[in-house]
Amino acid sequence: MVSVTRRGAVVLMGLLLAAVAVLVAAGPVRAADVYVQLTPSRVGPGEPVGIRASCRSNRDPASVESDAFGIVTVHPQHGYLAGTVTLPEHARPGTYRVKLLCAEGPNASTMVTVTAGGGHQPKPQPHPSRGPATGFGGTAGGPDLGGLLLPGGLGITVAGLVLAMLAARRRGPRTLR
């Protein structure tokens, strides 16, 4: 004979809430979310360089600096930071460090090679103003709500279990034979 008692329901609810707390506290881990990329990475004086970067939060502009071209501000664009800089005509050949300076934390760096006669690589292509029409595009530019999926789903599950326990309590203990 199995019966649902108040004590059993409380223990079950406590275990469920503890599991929810552990899962929510852990949260998703995002790796390698701070970077800076140059296109092309080998370029000659007077040629443009496309910059694509990412900080922890890509909602605010950041700075990119190098002895090759000075300081450039990259701005939020389609979920990352982007900008373009043209190397000065007087840039000397060599390899230079390019450093991303994020406002809220870790920085990143890469290298750019300035050639004497030009990089002879294709110029950076402009980024499209819209993504491909593959569905769910209406939410692409909105706020990042991915961190709410797990807590929201667990909250709804807990609410359903509480309602089920309340409904079972109204009917009284049940016995199975």
Side-chain angles (χ1 to χ4, degrees):
M1 172 160 83
V2 177
S3 68
V4 177
T5 64
R6 177 177 252 174
R7 175 180 239 167
V10 168
V11 169
L12 178 64
M13 190 61 145
L15 290 173
L16 184 62
L17 288 175
V20 168
V22 167
L23 290 174
V24 170
V29 176
R30 293 174 50 172
D33 58 350
V34 178
Y35 65 87
V36 60
Q37 297 173 333
L38 303 177
T39 306
S41 61
R42 196 172 159 82
V43 65
E47 294 182 355
V49 176
I51 303 170
R52 181 176 174 155
S54 179
C55 292
R56 284 185 178 163
S57 168
N58 291 329
R59 294 183 181 149
D60 298 318
S63 297
V64 176
E65 68 177 23
S66 174
D67 289 340
F69 52 76
I71 298 175
V72 176
T73 301
V74 287
H75 298 279
Q77 192 177 78
H78 306 292
Y80 58 91
L81 303 171
T84 304
V85 63
T86 300
L87 259 58
E89 292 290 339
H90 64 276
R92 299 177 75 176
T95 301
Y96 298 89
R97 179 174 298 281
V98 178
K99 189 170 183 182
L100 170 67
L101 303 171
C102 298
E104 73 278 348
N107 301 319
S109 66
T110 189
M111 305 298 274
V112 64
T113 301
V114 178
T115 61
H120 301 293
Q121 290 191 3
K123 307 255 189 240
Q125 297 296 316
H127 296 286
S129 61
R130 296 177 50 181
T134 59
F136 251 151
T139 60
D144 181 18
L145 300 177
L148 295 178
L149 283 175
L150 182 62
L154 290 173
I156 290 171
T157 302
V158 168
L161 288 172
V162 168
L163 289 174
M165 286 179 11
L166 290 174
R169 183 175 167 204
R170 281 192 161 172
R171 283 188 246 138
R174 302 182 81 187
T175 59
L176 298 174
R177 294 183 187 185

